[in-house]
Amino acid sequence: MRPTTLLVRRAALLLPVLLLPVLTACGSGDGGAVAAGGASPAPTADPVAAVRTVETVAALLPAKVREAGTLRVGSSIGAPPGAYYPDGQGKPPAGQDIDLADAVAKVLGLELERQDASFETILPALGSGKYDLGTGNFGVTAERRKTVDFVTYINDGQGFAVKTGSTRLKKPVGDLTELCGLTVGTSAGTTFEATLDAQRGVCAKAGRKPYRVSVFSESGALNTALRQGRIDVVMSTINGLRHQAAQPAASTTFLGEYHRLDVGFAFAKGSELTPAFQAAVNQLIKDGTYARILEKWGTTASAIEKSEINPPENARS
């Protein structure tokens, strides 16, 4: 049986059709996005089409899963290159995360029942059994690993961007004290929000005015705030911000990387699915499909050499 992806959408959670979201989820990943201009066309290459079931990998799945033949995926559709709607709501999503999840499913001989969900709701829902796994550019952190298991598939991370022409911040952010006195916009439930909250005291220690954090649950609102000057800088994913800055209509400038993070498929703690997913990702790396997917979406610099289960959080460089 040739696996296909079943799309089950909840209209209330869809992003506005005429926005160009920018990010998926992490900090490396975390979900969060900046939007601007019109929809960004999806590349036409289809490296997933040739993927076939690999029985030795599929055999690692629990028997009940192989018998059912489907998995429920809580999917955060945010922005390119991770996951977005190039043709608007009601049409299939596209992006690096979509292709990788579909390719893994084909290796495992499964179909994915993709259910749209807001980024911040997915990880808590895994424990309740609502989803079998979650996708959304979820960065692997020590805190998250307490309640969630991860199978890594890329290395993304946290970065910053400003409105093009801004004079408030002109150089890469190497230390959060460089944000003192500014208003930082970011997305709810992300590693960005957690990082900014955890470091709120750095400015006071440096004898400077603290930075302010504005949290947004919708990508369009975040980018509108940046354009209107209600926030000075956006903290989001490296790949998402870099992609957005390459779109002239976005009028944003990428200020570089702040912190790299591994990104992975998310599962309930103790899930029996992780060995099979790890083997499937490694199969895609081995046969070249993985490299072709990342080349398609312009994220080759974030490639990993092998998938891991629950690796330690990347040390802050």
Side-chain angles (χ1 to χ4, degrees):
M1 178 179 64
R2 182 178 178 177
T4 58
T5 300
L6 303 178
L7 301 178
V8 181
R9 300 180 181 84
R10 295 185 294 182
L13 294 174
L14 296 179
L15 296 177
V17 180
L18 298 180
L19 297 176
L20 166 65
V22 175
L23 299 176
T24 45
C26 142
S28 91
D30 281 346
V34 179
S40 178
T44 56
D46 187 6
V48 182
V51 178
R52 298 291 181 266
T53 301
V54 179
E55 291 298 334
T56 54
V57 178
L60 298 174
L61 289 167
K64 61 182 180 181
V65 174
R66 295 205 70 181
E67 183 177 349
T70 63
L71 289 176
R72 298 158 300 162
V73 184
S75 184
S76 174
I77 310 297
Y84 71 117
Y85 287 108
D87 301 312
Q89 66 184 68
K91 301 293 184 179
Q96 163 199 278
D97 289 3
I98 302 298
D99 282 352
L100 285 171
D102 287 351
V104 165
K106 293 183 78 170
V107 169
L108 296 173
L110 299 174
E111 294 180 353
L112 298 182
E113 184 179 297
R114 184 171 282 117
Q115 301 180 24
D116 289 348
S118 57
F119 178 84
E120 66 271 20
T121 66
I122 294 176
L123 297 186
L126 293 172
S128 70
K130 184 175 183 178
Y131 309 122
D132 297 304
L133 70 147
T135 63
N137 209 46
F138 290 106
V140 181
T141 67
E143 184 63 28
R144 285 176 172 170
R145 284 192 294 109
K146 294 176 182 178
T147 56
V148 178
D149 284 340
F150 292 96
V151 172
T152 60
Y153 61 83
I154 202 166
N155 182 263
D156 194 349
Q158 304 172 332
F160 292 91
V162 295
K163 180 180 177 180
T164 298
S166 171
T167 59
R168 301 300 301 275
L169 198 60
K170 297 181 179 180
K171 61 181 182 178
V173 177
D175 187 284
L176 293 189
T177 56
E178 294 166 38
L179 302 175
C180 296
L182 302 181
T183 299
V184 187
T186 195
S187 299
T190 62
T191 63
F192 321 120
E193 182 184 12
T195 297
L196 291 168
D197 283 346
Q199 299 295 319
R200 279 184 184 272
V202 297
C203 294
K205 291 180 181 178
R208 302 177 62 185
K209 185 178 179 180
Y211 57 74
R212 298 170 297 281
V213 180
S214 291
V215 178
F216 297 82
S217 59
E218 193 235 42
S219 60
L222 176 57
N223 193 63
T224 297
L226 184 65
R227 291 199 311 269
Q228 295 179 346
R230 291 185 285 114
I231 59 176
D232 301 301
V233 58
V234 168
M235 186 181 190
S236 197
T237 70
I238 293 169
N239 286 336
L241 291 176
R242 182 179 282 127
H243 177 95
Q244 184 184 35
Q247 315 305 312
S251 298
T252 61
T253 298
F254 178 55
L255 291 183
E257 301 179 8
Y258 174 70
H259 179 32
R260 280 276 174 176
L261 281 173
D262 288 317
V263 172
F265 297 109
F267 303 84
K269 199 68 182 173
S271 172
E272 297 179 324
L273 296 172
T274 56
F277 268 72
Q278 179 192 27
V281 174
N282 284 330
Q283 172 64 33
L284 295 172
I285 292 173
K286 179 181 178 181
D287 68 23
T289 302
Y290 176 81
R292 289 189 288 274
I293 291 173
L294 268 57
E295 182 179 6
K296 172 183 176 180
W297 294 104
T299 56
T300 300
S302 289
I304 58 174
E305 294 183 358
K306 65 178 181 178
S307 176
E308 297 181 90
I309 298 174
N310 295 332
E313 181 175 348
N314 294 30
R316 175 78 176 92
S317 57

